[in-house]
Short mmCIF file of all heavy atoms in Angstrom, two decimals:
data_model
loop_
_atom_site.label_atom_id
_atom_site.label_comp_id
_atom_site.label_asym_id
_atom_site.label_seq_id
_atom_site.Cartn_x
_atom_site.Cartn_y
_atom_site.Cartn_z
N ASN A 70 2.62 -8.41 43.34
CA ASN A 70 3.39 -7.18 43.42
C ASN A 70 3.04 -6.40 44.69
O ASN A 70 2.22 -6.82 45.50
CB ASN A 70 3.26 -6.33 42.17
CG ASN A 70 1.80 -5.80 41.97
OD1 ASN A 70 0.99 -5.85 42.89
ND2 ASN A 70 1.54 -5.25 40.80
N GLU A 74 -1.41 -7.44 43.88
CA GLU A 74 -2.03 -8.01 42.67
C GLU A 74 -1.12 -9.10 42.07
O GLU A 74 0.09 -8.96 42.01
CB GLU A 74 -2.26 -6.86 41.63
CG GLU A 74 -3.25 -5.87 42.09
CD GLU A 74 -3.29 -4.58 41.25
OE1 GLU A 74 -2.37 -4.37 40.46
OE2 GLU A 74 -4.23 -3.79 41.46
N ASP A 80 3.44 -8.75 32.76
CA ASP A 80 3.73 -7.63 33.65
C ASP A 80 5.22 -7.63 33.97
O ASP A 80 5.89 -6.57 33.93
CB ASP A 80 2.98 -7.79 35.00
CG ASP A 80 1.51 -7.48 34.92
OD1 ASP A 80 1.15 -6.51 34.22
OD2 ASP A 80 0.70 -8.15 35.58
N GLU A 103 5.16 0.44 38.65
CA GLU A 103 4.02 -0.19 39.36
C GLU A 103 4.48 -1.56 39.97
O GLU A 103 3.95 -1.99 41.01
CB GLU A 103 2.86 -0.44 38.38
CG GLU A 103 1.72 -1.18 39.00
CD GLU A 103 0.64 -1.55 37.97
OE1 GLU A 103 0.05 -0.63 37.38
OE2 GLU A 103 0.35 -2.75 37.83
N GLU A 104 5.39 -2.19 39.27
CA GLU A 104 5.74 -3.60 39.68
C GLU A 104 6.86 -3.66 40.70
O GLU A 104 7.21 -4.72 41.13
CB GLU A 104 6.12 -4.40 38.43
CG GLU A 104 5.03 -4.49 37.36
CD GLU A 104 3.71 -5.08 37.86
OE1 GLU A 104 3.75 -5.89 38.81
OE2 GLU A 104 2.66 -4.74 37.30
N ASP A 125 3.88 2.49 34.31
CA ASP A 125 3.07 1.25 34.47
C ASP A 125 3.43 0.44 33.24
O ASP A 125 2.97 0.77 32.15
CB ASP A 125 1.59 1.64 34.50
CG ASP A 125 0.68 0.41 34.48
OD1 ASP A 125 1.21 -0.70 34.37
OD2 ASP A 125 -0.56 0.58 34.54
N PRO A 126 4.28 -0.60 33.40
CA PRO A 126 4.79 -1.23 32.18
C PRO A 126 3.69 -1.92 31.36
O PRO A 126 3.80 -2.00 30.15
CB PRO A 126 5.79 -2.26 32.74
CG PRO A 126 5.41 -2.45 34.19
CD PRO A 126 4.81 -1.16 34.65
N LEU A 127 2.65 -2.41 32.07
CA LEU A 127 1.59 -3.06 31.30
C LEU A 127 0.26 -2.73 32.02
O LEU A 127 0.02 -3.17 33.14
CB LEU A 127 1.77 -4.58 31.22
CG LEU A 127 1.03 -5.14 30.03
CD1 LEU A 127 1.74 -4.83 28.74
CD2 LEU A 127 0.87 -6.62 30.16
N ASP A 128 -0.55 -1.95 31.34
CA ASP A 128 -1.85 -1.55 31.89
C ASP A 128 -2.95 -2.37 31.25
O ASP A 128 -2.95 -2.56 30.06
CB ASP A 128 -2.11 -0.05 31.65
CG ASP A 128 -3.46 0.38 32.19
OD1 ASP A 128 -3.60 0.35 33.42
OD2 ASP A 128 -4.33 0.74 31.41
N GLY A 129 -3.79 -2.91 32.12
CA GLY A 129 -4.91 -3.76 31.61
C GLY A 129 -4.55 -5.23 31.64
O GLY A 129 -5.02 -6.03 30.82
N SER A 130 -3.70 -5.61 32.62
CA SER A 130 -3.22 -6.99 32.69
C SER A 130 -4.30 -8.02 32.61
O SER A 130 -4.08 -9.12 32.06
CB SER A 130 -2.47 -7.23 34.00
OG SER A 130 -1.54 -6.27 34.23
N GLY A 140 -1.65 -1.81 27.29
CA GLY A 140 -0.73 -0.72 26.94
C GLY A 140 0.31 -0.46 27.98
O GLY A 140 0.37 -1.21 28.97
N ARG A 292 -3.52 4.27 40.22
CA ARG A 292 -2.40 4.83 40.93
C ARG A 292 -2.04 6.24 40.39
O ARG A 292 -2.08 6.45 39.19
CB ARG A 292 -1.17 3.94 40.80
CG ARG A 292 -1.12 2.74 41.77
CD ARG A 292 -2.15 1.67 41.66
NE ARG A 292 -2.45 1.18 40.36
CZ ARG A 292 -2.41 -0.13 40.03
NH1 ARG A 292 -2.07 -1.03 40.88
NH2 ARG A 292 -2.81 -0.51 38.78
N TYR A 295 1.87 6.92 38.24
CA TYR A 295 2.19 6.34 36.92
C TYR A 295 0.95 5.93 36.11
O TYR A 295 1.09 5.34 35.03
CB TYR A 295 3.18 5.19 37.06
CG TYR A 295 2.91 4.27 38.21
CD1 TYR A 295 1.87 3.32 38.15
CD2 TYR A 295 3.63 4.37 39.39
CE1 TYR A 295 1.61 2.52 39.23
CE2 TYR A 295 3.32 3.57 40.47
CZ TYR A 295 2.34 2.64 40.38
OH TYR A 295 2.04 1.81 41.45
N GLU A 296 -0.24 6.23 36.63
CA GLU A 296 -1.45 6.00 35.81
C GLU A 296 -2.19 7.34 35.65
O GLU A 296 -2.32 7.90 34.55
CB GLU A 296 -2.37 4.96 36.42
CG GLU A 296 -1.74 3.54 36.36
CD GLU A 296 -2.59 2.46 36.94
OE1 GLU A 296 -3.17 2.62 38.05
OE2 GLU A 296 -2.65 1.37 36.33
MN1 MN B 3 0.19 -2.56 35.19
#
Side-chain angles (χ1 to χ4, degrees):
N70 67 12
E74 294 166 347
D80 284 322
E103 176 187 300
E104 302 302 333
D125 173 357
L127 203 75
D128 180 63
S130 309
R292 277 65 47 126
Y295 40 77
E296 290 180 317

